[in-house]
Amino acid sequence: MTHKEILLIGDIGGTNARFALADNEQPGFSHDMTLQCADFAAADLAIKHYLSAIGAASPDVICLAAAGPVVEGRVRFTNNPWSIAAAELGNQFSTPKLRLLNDFEAIAYSFPYLTGKDRLPIGPSKRAPVDAAHYTVGILGPGTGLGAVGLRKHGDLLIPIAGEASHGGFAPESQLQIEMLSALRERYDRVSAERFVSGPGIENIYWAMCRIHAEERPQLTAAEIFDRAADSSDPRAAESVQVFFEILGQVAGDYALALGAMDGIFIAGGIVRRYPELLVNSRFRAGFESKGRYRSLLEQVPTELILHEQPGLLGAAYCALELARS
């Protein structure tokens, strides 16, 4: 690079759009700002607002992580009305170096740069620490939806395995879960894992629990349910959160088996990061290990919570830096 280029990065979900400027020397970022997607009709308007707010010129590189599959250079968001086409966005900002990637693909790229303070163990692990040069891990994150990605590292090669695993069908593992699935089938033609393990998912669980127990309660938001569980003011909310974490563990265990991610499953996302004690003291690990003939294998697999506040931006910063150097 002949001059200090402006590397714009973003992590855009169903609710929030986070922007920052990537460091020019190593994976990192500054000038981060969170905007509400609902406040802007399109992504380019949010980007222009951000650049104006921080007084930055048009970027030389744009790398955006988005909550949806990237198909033929375009992403259509699963949980917000925006659509982004790489070619159109590049033309709008006269930026030849532009990359769109799935938001959890970006989190995967951040993984090698997470430090010990960025991770919190969930339950015991009998496995030796990850070999820094060779590993396969999986990452799951409940938010507006449920994100999922795998990562394989082989020497200097990082290979994210992005997909839409959260939209696989939900498999109940208890009589209560069977009853909840039956209740939710009245709301949805098809019930995927995301219908339980996400912000709207905890609301679905609470609604189903009240229905099963024939209780008339006002519908609560995800934040209200977690807050009431945290301060022990609502037994039904506390029970719903326990079920939420148990199902998250079940889904995480399935994902570990599907990927062969024996080096660890890592949980990301703001919902869980705000309530680490609830997670650590939950039935998450019991759900994770409950795999019948494969229990002994899953008992060996470590599970950890990612505490870094913006792993998606950190991964996007890595990609932007690689793009600038290309």
Side-chain angles (χ1 to χ4, degrees):
M1 294 179 290
T2 58
H3 67 285
K4 190 172 182 179
E5 295 180 307
I6 296 176
L7 314 182
L8 172 69
I9 57 174
D11 181 11
I12 305 172
T15 304
N16 299 313
R18 302 172 180 88
F19 298 105
L21 298 183
D23 192 287
N24 294 80
E25 302 297 331
Q26 60 186 2
F29 59 88
S30 61
H31 299 84
D32 51 307
M33 179 184 295
T34 300
L35 304 176
Q36 299 296 304
C37 296
D39 292 340
F40 302 90
D44 63 301
L45 298 178
I47 291 172
K48 289 174 183 175
H49 176 89
Y50 167 74
L51 293 172
S52 175
I54 66 169
S58 185
D60 300 286
V61 173
I62 298 178
C63 184
L64 301 179
V70 181
V71 180
E72 296 181 349
R74 178 184 290 272
V75 60
R76 290 182 174 85
F77 292 81
T78 307
N79 293 300
N80 104 31
W82 288 2
S83 174
I84 302 175
E88 295 172 9
L89 197 64
N91 289 334
Q92 283 179 305
F93 290 93
S94 300
T95 305
K97 293 186 176 183
L98 187 146
R99 180 178 178 185
L100 298 180
L101 65 160
N102 175 266
D103 58 340
F104 269 73
E105 186 179 0
I107 292 177
Y109 280 121
S110 80
F111 182 79
Y113 302 99
L114 299 177
T115 65
K117 66 181 178 60
D118 294 323
R119 291 155 41 178
L120 174 69
I122 310 167
S125 171
K126 303 174 185 177
R127 193 173 182 85
V130 169
D131 177 354
H134 301 88
Y135 55 75
T136 300
V137 298
I139 302 170
L140 289 168
T144 306
L146 174 63
V149 68
L151 179 69
R152 177 162 293 175
K153 188 171 191 293
H154 188 76
D156 293 331
L157 190 61
L158 286 176
I159 308 171
I161 308 164
E164 296 297 327
S166 63
H167 294 283
F170 171 66
E173 296 188 12
S174 68
Q175 182 59 40
L176 175 60
Q177 291 181 20
I178 290 171
E179 292 178 27
M180 288 196 300
L181 175 60
S182 179
L184 259 62
R185 284 185 63 85
E186 297 178 23
R187 283 187 160 187
Y188 308 106
D189 293 335
R190 178 176 180 274
V191 180
S192 65
E194 186 178 75
R195 296 296 191 188
F196 286 95
V197 189
S198 61
I202 185 63
E203 295 171 8
N204 283 336
I205 291 172
Y206 186 82
W207 173 84
M209 295 285 278
C210 292
R211 185 179 180 86
I212 290 167
H213 291 281
E215 296 175 345
E216 292 290 337
R217 291 172 180 256
Q219 182 61 52
L220 302 179
T221 66
E224 289 171 334
I225 295 167
F226 275 103
D227 286 343
R228 292 187 181 197
D231 65 17
S232 302
S233 63
D234 183 342
R236 194 64 66 211
E239 186 180 6
S240 297
V241 168
Q242 280 291 339
V243 172
F244 174 89
F245 284 130
E246 182 177 44
I247 295 176
L248 175 59
Q250 293 167 198
V251 174
D254 289 344
Y255 199 47
L257 291 174
L259 281 176
M262 298 301 104
D263 294 305
I265 291 290
F266 298 84
I267 306 300
I271 290 178
V272 183
R273 192 178 63 248
R274 283 192 289 271
Y275 304 95
E277 291 187 3
L278 289 178
L279 171 62
V280 170
N281 295 313
S282 74
R283 296 197 295 266
F284 171 88
R285 190 71 200 187
F288 182 80
E289 295 177 359
S290 181
K291 296 302 171 197
R293 291 170 292 172
Y294 282 87
R295 171 181 289 276
S296 61
L297 181 63
L298 269 294
E299 287 175 347
Q300 306 292 321
V301 179
T303 50
E304 297 186 5
L305 173 63
I306 295 176
L307 297 176
H308 193 288
E309 292 192 3
Q310 301 289 358
L313 286 180
L314 180 59
Y318 165 85
C319 293
L321 188 56
E322 293 293 298
L323 196 56
R325 289 171 172 170
S326 65

